[in-house]
Amino acid sequence: MNLKRRLLLTVMAGALALPSFAQAADTIAIITPSPDNPFFKAEADGAAAKAKELGYEVMVLVHDDDANKQNELIDSAIAAGVKAIILDNAGADASVAAVQKAKDAGIPSFLIDREITASGVAVSQIVSNNYQGAQLGAEEFVRLMGETGEYAELTGKESDTNAGIRSKGYHDVIDQYPDMKMVAQQTANWSQTEGYAVMESMLQANPGIKGVIAGNDTMAMGAWAALEAAGRTDVVVMGFDGSNDVRDSILKGGIKGTVLQPAYAQAQMAVEQADKFLKTGSTGVEEKQLMDCVLITAENAAQLETFALK
Amino acid sequence: MKHLSRGLACGLALLALGGCKIVKTEKATGIDPDVALIAGIVEESFGSKLVPLVSEQAVEAKGVLPLGDLGATGAKKGAGEGGSWTLAIKGAGVVVSEDRKSRAGKVNLDVTGDGVADLTLQLGPVVKGTALRDIAPFYDFTAFRDQIQFAALGRALNDRAVGALTLPEVLVGKTLAFEGVFQVQKPKDPVLVVPLKAEVQ
């Protein structure tokens, strides 16, 4: 009796242990633009933390906003046999084929931050409500400018829908105020160094500028550095993203505000949906989902930490 | 029971719009193809689907203002922790103040009878937010090319709503009956209603 029981237990333990010997943990690929921008780092970190929590291995890759490189990374992910891809893509049009390729290989993709211009290719597309966020930022910008004066706009990378939608959101508000005059508008490709250079030349051409509204925080940081160097700390600067860098600048009385995109939570939500999809065959929600943004000013900046409000 | 019929109505509405496909057209004419496409969607859905949906769902303003637990009001919650709550509301209130000169024209109404404004009716032409779009299950983001197109729908619905209102020039002291939709992220946010109906009583 005793022996029999012990034997049975041994057999059961063996049977239980077997599956974990037979297969390694499933892997989820996380592909984002360069983590040099803390926004993308927060995304990758958020996704990786959630994936590990749910028992997956992670494969973290960076496409540097290069659609060709993204294409190669998708190939690598397919070859590695990943179970799902979490992707912040390298171009709304250019990425459709890459995501389709993964789908054809039986690998579902869950997009974060940026959309692609097709539906039915990715399983989920979870993006920030950039229009709503841009309107929040623009309303605050107009208020800080006293509804009047010359201003400049730094726009993002043209291939990214978010650049266009933020600019549209800004102008749907600002253009309703006849005394707000845009004297310069130029892309700085989401880049801090380009933001600095573009701001320098804008200032030379338009010394009367009272405000700068930027499509993201890194460009706002670049613009603020150029304004500081020129002794123009009177200029109102607004960003978009909610980075710790801009938070610190706001708390020191530099940049006036930004708009928080819940990047960390968004990436985690994508992994949760991937997990549910892998286990049940459905996420239970619509493919395209909008997550609302929050205005960050000196009032609530102290609560901001790594793209989330404490 | 009410929940079930609402679910059923939403399902039917979704099915109905399922036949309406978003087709990308070429930019040959120099006219933004989105403008015609959005105008078509508004024309097809505004009077026949959106107005009845809001009428059916609208809760009495007196019963929910000032806002407390948003989940208990039946409001529709957006994605994620910080997602907006969208709620259809109706009632009548006394105009305590108004700003009709601003591009973002508005009147502030007292619906609880304490002399203090509880909500704002947005009279435009500038209207904040996308409450009208977001209340309706038949405006599905997935069916749109991108956020730009989806935002244009929100704006077009707002324009259509406030464009149809006819109100006298001075409203302070008058009682207005209204029906509309608003969106907040937290209970303390101002209640900015996009009105589908606003009439002096």
Side-chain angles (χ1 to χ4, degrees), chain A residues 241-265:
Chain A
D241 280 345
S243 72
N244 287 355
D245 289 342
V246 166
R247 171 199 66 194
D248 295 344
S249 178
I250 293 172
L251 291 174
K252 280 187 288 185
I255 291 172
K256 289 292 180 292
T258 185
V259 178
L260 167 67
Q261 302 191 67
Y264 195 85

Side-chain angles (χ1 to χ4, degrees), chain A residues 5-297:
Chain A
R5 185 186 236 179
R6 202 181 299 153
L7 247 169
L8 190 69
L9 278 174
T10 313
V11 170
M12 274 175 67
L16 282 173
L18 255 177
S20 61
F21 281 124
Q23 64 185 102
D26 291 338
T27 302
I28 289 182
I30 299 163
I31 310 177
T32 69
S34 167
D36 288 353
N37 181 337
F39 181 86
F40 302 123
K41 184 174 187 305
E43 276 182 353
D45 290 352
K50 180 56 78 178
K52 284 174 191 161
E53 185 191 316
L54 293 170
Y56 295 94
E57 299 278 335
V58 294
M59 177 178 180
V60 179
L61 304 166
V62 174
H63 60 55
D64 286 321
D65 274 311
D66 175 345
N68 292 325
K69 189 169 174 190
Q70 172 178 269
N71 206 19
E72 289 164 15
L73 296 177
I74 297 271
D75 285 337
S76 315
I78 294 171
V82 302
K83 291 289 179 251
I85 296 172
I86 306 296
L87 173 68
D88 188 345
N89 73 75
D93 285 317
S95 301
V96 176
V99 176
Q100 181 68 51
K101 187 164 57 176
K103 188 187 178 185
D104 293 344
I107 301 168
S109 296
F110 300 82
L111 272 53
I112 50 174
D113 178 38
R114 300 172 180 171
E115 300 163 74
I116 53 174
T117 51
S119 52
V121 184
V123 173
S124 294
Q125 299 192 51
I126 313 172
V127 297
S128 298
N129 196 344
N130 286 277
Y131 185 74
Q132 171 257 356
Q135 291 201 310
L136 289 179
E139 281 161 14
E140 178 67 2
F141 183 66
V142 168
R143 194 186 67 79
L144 290 165
M145 295 260 307
E147 301 183 9
T148 181
E150 294 185 359
Y151 74 96
E153 182 188 0
L154 294 175
T155 56
K157 216 177 176 67
E158 211 184 329
S159 63
D160 183 349
T161 306
N162 288 344
I165 187 69
R166 287 179 202 163
S167 185
K168 178 96 175 76
Y170 287 157
H171 285 283
D172 275 0
V173 171
I174 301 172
D175 295 357
Q176 305 292 344
Y177 296 87
D179 296 329
M180 293 285 296
K181 287 201 174 59
M182 185 168 74
V183 291
Q185 181 186 41
Q186 202 177 320
T187 182
N189 293 308
W190 302 134
S191 146
Q192 188 156 341
T193 46
E194 278 188 59
Y196 186 96
V198 171
M199 191 68 246
E200 256 188 336
S201 58
M202 277 178 169
L203 259 187
Q204 279 166 10
N206 306 281
I209 283 175
K210 275 177 60 188
V212 178
I213 192 157
N216 81 344
D217 276 354
T218 45
M219 296 191 296
M221 288 297 290
W224 180 252
L227 289 162
E228 260 188 325
R232 288 296 311 277
T233 52
D234 58 303
V235 175
V236 172
V237 178
M238 269 311 279
F240 196 112
D241 280 345
S243 72
N244 287 355
D245 289 342
V246 166
R247 171 199 66 194
D248 295 344
S249 178
I250 293 172
L251 291 174
K252 280 187 288 185
I255 291 172
K256 289 292 180 292
T258 185
V259 178
L260 167 67
Q261 302 191 67
Y264 195 85
Q266 193 170 94
Q268 296 215 313
M269 211 162 111
V271 175
E272 281 165 6
Q273 290 183 13
D275 179 56
K276 191 168 177 203
F277 183 83
L278 291 173
K279 285 175 178 157
T280 69
S282 164
T283 61
V285 289
E286 294 290 343
E287 175 186 336
K288 290 175 82 167
Q289 305 154 54
L290 285 173
M291 285 180 84
D292 284 330
C293 304
V294 182
L295 180 69
I296 303 292
T297 63

Side-chain angles (χ1 to χ4, degrees), chain B residues 10-87:
Chain B
C10 293
L12 286 173
L14 266 173
L15 278 175
L17 206 81
C20 163
K21 200 175 168 189
I22 309 296
V23 181
K24 208 173 172 180
T25 44
E26 295 305 316
K27 279 189 183 177
T29 53
I31 300 164
D32 185 351
D34 282 3
V35 173
L37 180 124
I38 297 299
I41 294 173
V42 172
E43 192 55 45
E44 185 265 340
S45 60
F46 191 89
S48 62
K49 290 187 188 144
L50 184 60
V51 172
L53 176 89
V54 171
S55 284
E56 186 205 313
Q57 293 195 354
V59 296
E60 277 295 336
K62 253 189 272 187
V64 292
L65 298 179
L67 293 172
D69 178 6
L70 286 161
T73 61
K76 186 178 167 189
K77 173 78 165 59
E81 208 177 310
S84 292
W85 298 83
T86 308
L87 184 66

